[in-house]
Amino acid sequence: MFHSRLRVRVGPSMDRLVCITDKVNSGQAHSISSELFEGKVAINMKDFSNPSGEVLSTEYFDREDRKGITWSIQVQGRFLQETSADDIMFGNTFDKRLKLPWGAGVALKFMQYVDPTLEHDLMSDTKPWALSPLIATMPHFVHERIDIRASPLPENERSKTIDHSFPPSQSIGEDTSQLRYAIASCHSSGSTASSLSSFVSSPASSTTSLSSSSRKPEKLGASKKKKPSACSLDLRTSCDRRSYFSIPQHREEIVFGPEDLITTDFCYGYLQFNPTLALRLPGGASFDLMKYWDRHPVRFVCCKRKKPGDEDRSDGQPTGDIFWIVSIETADESDIHEAEQDNGYDIDRP
């Protein structure tokens, strides 16, 4: 069906979006580069239909640690200007007022159950949005200090588990063992690697970044373990990290810059893409989103937090500076016509 076909565009800003529909489920990444961010993005969508109607598959959804997942946005890159983790946001922005279905309040409660750090104005008459601090919302998060000239890192602490090919052949998991090198007080004091060790109780050495530590997203607060103190950063699981960084002061302690390589996988199972775009909630509730989606794009945006006094952006986005965008859109007739021609026939032909 025409109305259920989608296209995907990505880029560092609204005016630099590039169509990468042909790379969805391909295992190929698209590079993004600007004065604010440098990295790569890879997209997976279960049962995704491209503009020509072809259903694209991928082994990603067959992995044991991705069972039940229906979509994934994997990103690896560096923030090129030092930025507090409290100011790096991730979420959705929309072009105009949302036509929310009856029962939408249940969906909003579910979203805030999954992510208590969520901030939103989805009832806006102009530019609805829903954003969370990236470090607290990502279900899978890997950090590595890569520039040893800027901040010396002992060779024996260089990650042996991070797969630098992207997207990696194994699922992105959890590794924050080097996050202590991004503590703001260390940046300002010029502390050496040896003195930085005082900020941690012990490295999360048993935590790897690939499938051995991968797990499905956890509800915050599910862990019974004692929370790390402000100076330990002994965050062994995704739940540990998300719970610890749900506190604004903890996020403000972390500063990411060009020497911090961050790899994330934003993946869940509450969206399905075939035979139509639908939202599925626990308990069996389901919403056919195509009935309410007024053909305007759904954007996944990584951006700076917009603060009081910030000027409105020229592109109208309700955010601060943008690092990268993934835009999911309904395919228009020109997309379908082009896809049909690429497949060797003309849809206008009798």
Side-chain angles (χ1 to χ4, degrees), residues 46-336:
K46 191 171 185 179
D47 300 324
F48 176 78
S49 294
N50 65 14
S52 67
E54 179 185 5
V55 177
L56 308 177
S57 60
T58 172
E59 58 79 30
Y60 175 92
F61 298 110
D62 296 328
R63 301 174 187 174
E64 188 61 32
D65 55 13
R66 292 299 188 262
K67 295 293 185 182
I69 296 299
T70 58
W71 57 289
S72 159
I73 299 175
Q74 300 175 88
V75 178
Q76 182 178 82
R78 304 179 301 140
F79 298 100
L80 301 183
Q81 299 178 8
E82 290 193 350
T83 307
S84 164
D86 187 52
D87 291 332
I88 300 174
M89 307 293 285
F90 173 78
N92 301 105
T93 65
F94 305 87
D95 278 341
K96 52 186 176 180
R97 182 177 181 178
L98 298 174
K99 297 193 301 182
L100 298 176
W102 178 88
V106 176
L108 290 177
K109 288 182 179 178
F110 169 69
M111 291 167 60
Q112 291 186 307
Y113 174 86
V114 173
D115 181 7
T117 65
L118 178 69
E119 304 172 24
H120 71 87
D121 184 9
L122 291 174
M123 306 305 292
S124 170
D125 289 331
T126 55
K127 299 284 185 179
W129 58 272
L131 298 167
S132 303
L134 180 140
I135 198 171
T137 195
M138 282 292 168
H140 305 290
F141 180 97
V142 174
H143 167 270
E144 184 185 16
R145 177 56 62 94
I146 59 172
D147 188 353
I148 60 174
R149 292 170 301 175
S151 181
L153 189 66
E155 184 63 28
N156 63 355
E157 292 191 26
R158 293 284 293 169
S159 175
K160 303 300 190 297
T161 61
I162 295 176
D163 184 351
H164 288 98
S165 62
F166 190 82
S169 57
Q170 294 178 286
S171 300
I172 297 167
E174 187 74 14
D175 190 339
T176 55
S177 59
Q178 296 175 17
L179 200 56
R180 62 194 184 278
Y181 294 101
I183 294 175
S185 58
C186 301
H187 282 252
S188 61
S189 65
S191 301
T192 63
S194 59
S195 64
L196 287 174
S197 63
S198 64
F199 283 89
V200 295
S201 58
S202 64
S205 57
S206 62
T207 304
T208 64
S209 64
L210 300 178
S211 60
S212 60
S213 69
S214 299
R215 62 185 67 195
K216 294 179 183 178
E218 300 172 89
K219 163 74 172 64
L220 296 194
S223 174
K224 300 297 183 180
K225 296 179 180 179
K226 182 179 178 181
K227 291 184 179 180
S229 67
C231 63
S232 73
L233 292 189
D234 185 17
L235 310 174
R236 297 177 180 271
T237 69
S238 173
C239 190
D240 286 345
R241 168 180 51 81
R242 298 178 71 187
S243 179
Y244 179 78
F245 288 114
S246 66
I247 300 172
Q249 293 88 337
H250 292 173
R251 298 193 297 268
E252 292 167 358
E253 294 172 350
I254 301 297
V255 174
F256 291 130
E259 68 275 22
D260 299 292
L261 182 68
I262 297 173
T263 307
T264 60
D265 188 0
F266 190 75
C267 59
Y268 284 100
Y270 54 76
L271 289 179
Q272 68 178 38
F273 298 90
N274 203 353
T276 187
L277 183 64
L279 172 67
R280 301 181 305 174
L281 300 178
S286 180
F287 299 97
D288 183 352
L289 297 181
M290 295 307 298
K291 294 180 180 179
Y292 308 98
W293 192 9
D294 195 18
R295 294 184 62 84
H296 54 286
V298 174
R299 298 190 189 93
F300 291 88
V301 178
C302 181
C303 60
K304 284 187 179 180
R305 179 189 294 275
K306 186 174 183 179
K307 298 184 177 181
D310 286 355
E311 296 182 0
D312 291 339
R313 294 179 53 83
S314 59
D315 58 15
Q317 290 299 296
T319 68
D321 291 336
I322 291 176
F323 298 112
W324 52 263
I325 301 172
V326 174
S327 182
I328 301 175
E329 310 165 1
T330 53
D332 57 33
E333 292 182 3
S334 63
D335 294 319
I336 294 179

